[in-house]
């Protein structure tokens, strides 16, 4: 055997000996999230690629899901031992996985992150109950009223502040080919969100009383549903089947003069005029015009792996993601929709230097201001009622609206039936 051949064989043997060890050392993680639009998936992948490259001992891959299926799919996958290692969550989704024993207390980890980044207290409180913290806050969302200032000015209409103003504006703006207000009536999460946004502005934000008993069936709730049903008269006829995308498309095409949405900035910038001076955002009108509330979600990530190496790798990823140089780019997977839940994230250059954020900075600052009066059903007045998860999973708020808007039921009867349905689900 020649010296060259001996050298090549030895080198090959050395490589064969090291490759299996290297492969075995890599920890593989699966991330489930419900941010399905392609540009959000692309931004998440960009960040995962950067993380994987900078952490060669860890590899994370994403598997986008949808809100219509995940309430059933995630528990089934976890029960079968095939669930994700990390899963994005909203407060009323988390109790479902906690209830099946899939979550461990991450209070110590959240405390570590809080010391470094300073979480908004309300974001942590939404996941803090039963003597534990069950997910790590990641981003905030709040519902707003979107409109074009030029459209309102041409019609001689001020931005509505009261329900009476709002109804009058929607009626005046409903003309041939244009609907004054785009509101959904689908039995789906988006309708839950818009209905509750109206309820919070009509004195019906508390679904439970202080003792934890349901108090959904109140005159204030009935009034909110009756008002919402009135407003549907100024919405497109296909609104009963809408989800978030249809509402944004209606606004972008100018078929809807006003809509309720978390953000329309991306669609307005890419599919409509893209004129920041003619994109208006305001707090949702209230019954009396005094206090303006909205629905708000502190989204979080649940750490699901019970394997110690995977759990530590998951924490390494979350620590990396919340670093300000990464966090702003994560939030801007949908500019104007996802707001920071940390103090250093709220000031991060990576958040404010995004070209879309710079263009629509006034609107984004208004969204952040509106979110200060954010509420979420089952998580109000500093109290958390985990039983709300069953109500949310069945979209009972939207189901009650459908009884009125689609089946023609009287609002008082529909709300009474809605509370009975909630009671059945949570007994």
């Amino acid at each position: 055997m020649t010296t060259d051949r001996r050298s090549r064989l030895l080198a090959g043997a050395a490589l064969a000996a090291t490759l299996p060890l290297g492969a075995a050392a890599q920890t593989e993680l699966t991330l489930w999230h419900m941010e399905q639009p392609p540009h959000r998936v692309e931004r998440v992948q960009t960040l995962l690629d950067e993380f994987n490259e900078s952490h060669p001992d860890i590899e994370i891959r994403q598997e986008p899901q949808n809100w219509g299926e995940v309430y059933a799919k995630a528990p089934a996958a976890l029960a079968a031992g095939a669930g994700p290692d990390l899963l994005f969550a909203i407060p009323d989704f988390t109790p479902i996985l906690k209830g099946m024993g899939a979550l461990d207390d991450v209070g110590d980890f959240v405390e570590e992150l809080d010391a470094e980044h300073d979480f908004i207290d309300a974001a942590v409180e939404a996941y803090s109950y039963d003597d534990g913290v069950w997910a790590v806050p990641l981003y905030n969302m709040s519902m707003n009223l979107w409109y074009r200032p030029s459209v309102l000015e041409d019609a001689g209409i001020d931005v509505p502040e009261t329900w009476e103003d709002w109804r009058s504006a929607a009626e005046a703006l409903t003309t041939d080919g244009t609907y004054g207000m785009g509101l959904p009536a689908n039995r789906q999460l988006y309708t839950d969100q818009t209905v509750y946004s109206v309820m919070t502005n009509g004195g019906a934000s508390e679904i439970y009383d202080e003792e934890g008993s349901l108090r959904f069936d109140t005159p204030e709730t009935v009034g909110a549903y009756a008002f919402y049903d009135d407003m549907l008269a100024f919405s497109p006829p296909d609104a009963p089947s809408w989800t978030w995308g249809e509402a944004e498309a209606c606004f972008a095409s100018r078929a809807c003069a006003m809509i309720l949405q978390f953000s329309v900035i991306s669609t307005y910038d890419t599919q409509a005029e893209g004129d920041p001076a003619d994109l208006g955002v305001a707090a949702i009108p209230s019954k009396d015009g005094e206090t303006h509330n909205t629905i708000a979600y502190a989204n979080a990530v649940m750490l699901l792996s019970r394997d110690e190496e995977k759990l530590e790798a998951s924490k390494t990823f979350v620590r990396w993601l919340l670093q300000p140089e990464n966090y702003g780019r994560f939030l801007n997977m949908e500019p104007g929709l996802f707001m920071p839940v940390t103090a250093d994230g709220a000031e991060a250059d990576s958040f404010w230097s995004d070209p879309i954020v710079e263009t629509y900075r006034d609107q984004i600052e208004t969204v952040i201001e509106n979110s200060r009066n954010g509420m979420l059903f089952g998580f109000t007045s500093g109290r958390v009622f985990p039983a709300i998860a069953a109500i949310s999973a069945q979209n009972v708020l939207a189901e009650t609206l459908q009884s009125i808007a689609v089946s023609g039921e009287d609002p008082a009867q529909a709300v009474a039936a809605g509370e009975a349905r909630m009671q059945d689900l949570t007994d």
Side-chain angles (χ1 to χ4, degrees):
M1 183 181 294
T2 65
T3 301
D4 285 347
R5 177 172 169 72
R6 184 182 297 113
S7 298
R8 287 198 297 271
L9 287 174
L10 288 173
L15 180 63
T18 56
L19 275 176
L21 289 175
Q26 190 174 62
T27 302
E28 297 181 352
L29 303 176
T30 302
L31 165 66
W32 281 16
H33 63 77
M34 281 61 76
E35 308 305 337
Q36 285 187 309
H39 57 283
R40 298 184 202 172
V41 173
E42 182 179 358
R43 176 60 62 89
V44 170
Q45 190 58 52
T46 297
L47 290 165
L48 292 182
D49 288 344
E50 289 181 20
F51 175 81
N52 290 339
E53 184 175 353
S54 62
H55 296 77
D57 56 332
I58 303 172
E59 181 175 7
I60 306 181
R61 59 184 176 86
Q62 62 172 326
E63 293 184 6
Q65 309 294 322
N66 71 70
W67 280 114
E69 297 176 350
V70 75
Y71 277 80
K73 186 175 180 179
L78 289 165
D85 302 294
L86 302 108
L87 172 57
F88 287 3
I90 52 179
D92 50 7
F93 179 33
T94 308
I96 294 175
L97 300 193
K98 179 183 175 298
M100 62 182 291
L103 297 178
D104 290 327
D105 178 13
V106 293
D108 289 345
F109 184 46
V110 170
E111 187 175 352
E112 171 202 320
L113 296 169
D114 186 48
E116 183 173 0
H117 303 292
D118 190 9
F119 281 119
I120 295 172
D121 291 345
V124 179
E125 289 169 2
Y127 296 95
S128 303
Y129 45 91
D130 293 348
D131 300 321
V133 183
W134 308 104
V136 182
L138 279 186
Y139 51 90
N140 199 13
M141 301 164 59
S142 66
M143 190 71 74
N144 302 273
L145 179 72
W146 295 88
Y147 63 97
R148 287 176 175 80
S150 64
V151 170
L152 268 61
E153 289 168 9
D154 289 347
I157 296 170
D158 293 329
V159 178
E161 294 189 3
T162 67
W163 280 4
E164 184 177 351
D165 295 341
W166 196 9
R167 191 186 187 288
S168 296
E171 184 174 17
L173 293 169
T174 299
T175 59
D176 291 341
T178 301
Y179 296 91
M181 187 67 216
L183 283 173
N186 195 2
R187 184 185 167 187
Q188 198 259 355
L189 182 57
Y190 178 38
T191 307
D192 284 346
Q193 295 165 346
T194 53
V195 165
Y196 187 67
S197 293
V198 172
M199 289 171 59
T200 63
N201 284 292
S205 59
E206 301 284 350
I207 288 182
Y208 291 93
D209 64 19
E210 293 183 357
E211 284 72 42
S213 299
L214 283 166
R215 62 176 304 276
F216 180 68
D217 184 9
T218 67
E220 291 78 12
T221 307
V222 173
Y225 271 92
F227 174 74
Y228 194 112
D229 186 46
D230 283 347
M231 294 292 284
L232 285 173
F234 312 114
S235 292
D238 64 341
S241 64
W242 275 10
T243 61
W244 303 271
E246 288 81 3
E248 287 190 57
C250 191
F251 184 76
S253 69
R254 302 180 74 93
C256 289
M258 300 181 289
I259 64 168
L260 290 187
Q261 186 57 281
F262 292 106
S263 174
V264 302
I265 289 175
S266 288
T267 52
Y268 177 79
D269 190 70
T270 59
Q271 301 173 31
E273 302 92 303
D275 175 11
D278 198 27
L279 180 61
V281 57
I284 297 171
S286 62
K287 186 176 181 179
D288 57 12
E290 294 182 3
T291 302
H292 299 278
N293 301 313
T294 185
I295 192 169
Y297 285 94
N299 288 251
V301 59
M302 295 182 283
L303 310 183
L304 295 163
S305 181
R306 294 285 166 74
D307 178 279
E308 193 60 33
E309 287 188 3
K310 287 193 169 191
L311 180 60
E312 285 306 313
S314 299
K315 291 180 178 178
T316 298
F317 173 66
V318 175
R319 290 187 186 101
W320 181 88
L321 192 63
L322 287 176
Q323 291 300 317
E325 63 268 26
N326 305 319
Y327 187 49
R329 292 183 297 135
F330 169 72
L331 297 174
N332 287 328
M333 64 175 148
E334 188 67 67
L337 175 58
F338 303 131
M339 298 298 145
V341 293
T342 62
D344 57 359
E347 298 177 352
D349 287 342
S350 61
F351 180 70
W352 291 108
S353 65
D354 180 278
I356 296 294
V357 174
E358 288 183 331
T359 300
Y360 295 93
R361 181 162 185 143
D362 287 348
Q363 288 85 352
I364 289 172
E365 288 179 339
T366 300
V367 169
I368 292 175
E369 182 63 28
N370 292 344
S371 71
R372 299 184 195 286
N373 290 328
M375 301 177 178
L376 182 61
F377 49 101
F379 299 83
T380 49
S381 302
R383 304 188 301 272
V384 173
F385 301 100
I388 196 68
I391 294 170
S392 183
Q394 294 297 319
N395 304 113
V396 178
L397 297 187
E399 181 182 282
T400 302
L401 178 68
Q402 281 209 320
S403 297
I404 302 167
V406 178
S407 303
E409 197 168 334
D410 178 76
Q413 293 176 339
V415 169
E419 178 164 315
R421 172 94 161 114
M422 293 177 179
Q423 198 71 59
D424 288 343
L425 289 169
T426 55
D427 278 347

